[in-house]
């Protein structure tokens, strides 16, 4: 199966075009401004006298932003952004050491400690800079940045793989492994692929430096990667590692790596993933925990982890062509990822909880002056640890990557969005307002083609020829096929072992998870019981610009008694639900995805 790079796809309208325009017109500038204010941009000047001390992974924050700019340039040149990136490359060139080494913190603050502390993100930063340099080269044809990063990769290879004189062997935060695969793809320099394989193969083979607050599993270093079957530890580190494992499995035909990835994926989606596609439920270690441990109020579910899951699934799709990976991509895209930025494109969530109770934050603040252990209730413009906003900037412009795969005879359609794609001599034009509507028309021009169209996970029965979860069409040159998926809202329940969701339902319409917000339904959402017959009315919410749902629901009667004999008396109400991704755009409010049902 071959991938179709987003540069061959133009998103022409609809849901994702709106988001891509938002990133281009607002978010990319908003993130830059906040990075500028906080000193991240000037840090590239390597000013040892600056009052602002650079953080160990500021390089990576800015690199992800540069990568995002590169992706935006693919469709349309943006001179002001290109000028900023060129300025940053000037500084990288100026401050890179003769040997190839480049890192802000370990040059300005602790030059004596290079490659001594596994947990200080040097190789993680290097990886993000490499990814940015590949993207910028591909977007502009300019090689300077890529050449600088090749020099750095050569130096890393020398120190880690040839001389082996560093204090640790594998990165504390994975990222460089997948970046080196990209470096190999663009330069065809096999050493980069081999260096990636070296880092993946060596992980878990020895005890490396370890903080006393965490175990080796935090870095997925508890056992060699080929023996791993469970998703463990820090979720972003994990997904970036799994991406590299899948990349290498594909390029080396490595069956052991492939099986490990398959086992780990199954563990994630069967035990450790929220209905939103969010992963990494625990604040402690920003990590995966035990199966079915999916609390809603304190869900950690970092935005970067949702992105990491999509990146991993995409590689698994290329490796296996199994439809389940595209299902999970869709789940994360429309929910756990999309909630990460505001509808105005200026602010961000790091954690994406499935329930918000502002009163608990207030309670904590009274006692401690700050909220402990609970995600923030409103998106903010920048974080002290601001890895997520630039990840969003690089992710949305490249969303076309997830739409298609192809082989000699067939084209696979995985995601639905209004777009025109050039694939192997064929033009594919999708017209749709998905996910608002389930109607999709797909026109094929160029030559006769067999189309395999993914039947979404929420479709129970499909009339027509199917194979392994895809609807099959033999399409003649110039022909258009029509699909119409049923988008009827549905009540979903969780596995009984997810105790947090016991007796509750979530509402999904198509791939979109819905939620209740206090601003629509008043306080104390936990008392609302959704009518079990699940009849919904659809209404456009013009304020939010989303499709809202209304349904019959019940509340108990208010009472003064703290405790009283059980009563079956109910007040009937109309509950309003909005897409989960749109929550927290109208001020602070209660929110919940899982509600009681009656
Ligand atoms: O450590 C770098 C990034 O910051 C991680 O990927 C995030 O989880 C956050 O810890
Ligand atoms: Zn993040």
């Amino acid at each position: 199966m071959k991938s179709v790079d987003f540069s061959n796809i133009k998103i022409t309208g609809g849901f994702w075009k709106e988001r891509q325009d938002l990133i281009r017109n607002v978010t990319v500038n908003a993130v830059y401004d906040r990075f500028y204010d906080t000193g991240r941009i000037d840090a590239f000047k390597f000013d040892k006298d600056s009052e602002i001390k650079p953080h160990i992974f500021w390089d990576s924050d800015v690199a992800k932003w540069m990568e995002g700019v590169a992706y935006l340039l693919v469709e349309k040149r943006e001179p002001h952004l290109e000028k900023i990136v060129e300025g940053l490359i000037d500084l990288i060139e100026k401050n890179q050491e003769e040997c190839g080494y480049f890192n802000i913190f370990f040059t300005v603050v602790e030059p004596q400690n290079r490659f001594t502390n596994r947990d200080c993100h040097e190789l993680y930063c290097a990886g993000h800079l490499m990814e940015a340099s590949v993207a910028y080269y591909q977007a502009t044809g300019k090689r300077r940045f890529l050449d600088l990063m090749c020099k750095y990769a050569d130096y890393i290879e020398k120190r880690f793989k040839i001389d082996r004189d560093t204090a640790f062997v594998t990165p504390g935060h994975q990222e460089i492994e997948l970046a080196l695969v990209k470096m190999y793809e663009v330069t065809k320099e096999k050493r980069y692929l081999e260096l990636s394989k070296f880092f993946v193969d060596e992980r878990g083979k020895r005890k490396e430096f370890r903080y006393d607050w965490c175990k080796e599993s935090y870095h997925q270093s508890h056992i060699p990667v080929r023996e791993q079957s469970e998703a463990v530890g820090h979720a972003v580190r994990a997904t970036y590692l799994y991406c590299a494992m899948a990349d290498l499995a594909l390029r080396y035909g490595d069956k052991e790596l492939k099986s490990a990835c398959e086992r780990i994926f199954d563990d994630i989606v069967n035990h450790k993933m929220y209905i939103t596609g969010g992963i990494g439920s625990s604040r402690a270690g920003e990590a995966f925990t035990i199966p079915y441990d999916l609390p809603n109020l304190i869900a950690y579910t970092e935005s970067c982890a949702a992105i990491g899951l999509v990146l991993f699934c995409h590689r698994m799709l290329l490796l296996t062509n199994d439809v389940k990976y595209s299902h999970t991509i869709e789940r994360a895209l429309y929910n756990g990822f999309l909630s990460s930025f505001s509808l105005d494109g200026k602010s961000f969530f790091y954690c994406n909880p499935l329930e918000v109770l502002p009163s608990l934050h207030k309670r904590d603040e009274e006692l401690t002056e700050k909220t402990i252990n609970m995600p923030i209730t409103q998106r903010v413009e920048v974080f002290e640890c601001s890895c997520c906003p630039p990840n969003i900037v690089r992710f949305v412009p490249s969303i076309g990557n997830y739409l298609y795969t192809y082989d000699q005879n067939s084209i696979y359609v995985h995601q639905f969005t209004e777009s025109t794609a050039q694939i192997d001599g064929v033009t594919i034009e999708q017209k749709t307002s998905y996910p608002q509507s389930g109607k999709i028309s797909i026109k094929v021009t160029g030559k006769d083609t067999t189309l395999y169209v993914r039947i979404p996970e929420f479709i129970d029965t499909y009339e027509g020829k199917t194979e392994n979860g895809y609807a099959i069409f033999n399409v003649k040159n110039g022909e258009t096929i029509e699909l119409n998926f049923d988008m009827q809202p549905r009540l979903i329940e969780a596995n009984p072992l997810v105790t947090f969701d016991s007796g509750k339902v979530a509402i999904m319409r198509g791939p979109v998870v819905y939620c209740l917000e206090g601003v629509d339904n008043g306080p104390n959402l936990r008392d609302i019981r959704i009518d079990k017959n699940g009849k919904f009315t659809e209404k456009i919410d013009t304020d939010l610009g989303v499709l809202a749902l209304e349904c019959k629901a019940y509340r108990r009667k208010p009472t003064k008694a703290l405790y009283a004999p059980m009563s079956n008396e109910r007040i009937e109400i109309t509950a309003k639900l909005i897409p989960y991704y749109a929550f927290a755009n109208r001020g602070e409010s209660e929110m919940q995805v899982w509600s009681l049902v009656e």
Side-chain angles (χ1 to χ4, degrees), residues 64 236 302-305 350 385-389 391:
K64 272 184 276 186
V236 182
E302 184 181 337
S303 307
C304 288
Y350 185 108
C385 170
S386 216
C387 47
C388 304
N391 225 350

Side-chain angles (χ1 to χ4, degrees), residues 331-396:
R331 184 184 289 279
L333 280 185
Y334 287 102
N335 304 295
F337 163 67
L338 209 51
S339 54
S340 65
F341 59 105
S342 57
L343 295 175
D344 70 6
K346 292 183 186 157
S347 54
F348 311 93
F349 275 137
Y350 185 108
C351 300
N352 297 272
L354 281 80
E355 181 176 18
V356 174
L357 276 174
S359 55
L360 293 188
H361 287 256
K362 302 245 155 51
R363 172 205 65 185
D364 282 0
E365 277 156 24
E366 303 243 312
L367 293 169
T368 64
E369 286 180 358
K370 73 175 193 209
T371 302
I372 37 173
N373 290 332
M374 212 118 54
I376 54 173
T377 61
Q378 296 287 281
R379 296 176 186 83
V380 297
E381 293 187 4
V382 68
F383 304 90
E384 208 176 305
C385 170
S386 216
C387 47
C388 304
N391 225 350
I392 295 160
V393 170
R394 74 177 180 146
F395 186 71
V396 175

Side-chain angles (χ1 to χ4, degrees), residues 488-500:
Q488 203 58 25
R490 309 198 312 167
L491 303 181
I492 308 290
E493 57 182 12
N495 184 299
L497 294 172
V498 185
T499 53
F500 306 97

Side-chain angles (χ1 to χ4, degrees), residues 57 60 64 121 124 173 218 234-237 240 286 300 302 304 350 385-388:
F57 55 81
S60 70
K64 272 184 276 186
H121 294 61
Y124 167 81
H173 194 313
Y218 171 77
H234 185 274
V236 182
R237 284 169 164 85
Y240 289 3
E286 310 184 291
Y300 197 73
E302 184 181 337
C304 288
Y350 185 108
C385 170
S386 216
C387 47
C388 304

